[in-house]
Amino acid sequence: MSAALKYTLGRIGLFVAVLGGLWLVDMNVFLKLMLALVFSAALSFFLLRGWRDEMAGEIAEAAERRRTEKERLRSALAGEDQTPDPDSNPTPDPPTQAPDSQR
């Protein structure tokens, strides 16, 4: 399971748990939802730190892979990435000139 999915499900689970606890308190439903959102965000800051760091690492690795692949493709398009074929002649034969055109 990816770290982003684990972290997202953890955040949703914390929100539902806090909302369930606040559901027993007699107050406006909108206020319950807002308090559950704030409290679950604060709790996730401490309780889900490991999953958040794991997710950030995965995102950083993916960004590095994309950057590397982008640079590789740019150099390939610019012609810098072409390696000579060992079977082909690396230097072309000079063109032959007619004897009367020499000086």
Side-chain angles (χ1 to χ4, degrees):
M1 179 185 292
S2 74
L5 184 60
K6 282 193 303 191
Y7 182 70
T8 302
L9 291 176
R11 288 288 306 257
I12 291 171
L14 274 175
F15 175 76
V16 169
V18 171
L19 183 62
L22 287 175
W23 205 258
L24 303 173
V25 179
D26 186 31
M27 67 175 72
N28 186 354
V29 174
F30 182 72
L31 184 59
K32 287 180 189 178
L33 290 171
M34 291 296 110
L35 287 174
L37 184 67
V38 170
F39 289 148
S40 68
L43 285 173
S44 72
F45 183 74
F46 298 106
L47 298 178
L48 303 178
R49 179 180 308 236
W51 288 351
R52 186 176 56 248
D53 292 342
E54 186 180 342
M55 180 181 68
E58 283 184 5
I59 291 172
E61 288 172 7
E64 181 64 26
R65 280 193 313 269
R66 283 192 305 270
R67 187 190 63 76
T68 303
E69 182 65 14
K70 185 177 179 181
E71 289 299 319
R72 187 190 67 77
L73 288 173
R74 279 191 177 168
S75 66
L77 287 172
E80 299 166 0
D81 196 33
Q82 296 176 357
T83 57
D85 187 19
D87 296 333
S88 67
N89 189 1
T91 56
D93 293 332
T96 58
Q97 295 179 347
D100 57 336
S101 66
Q102 292 180 351
R103 294 181 191 197

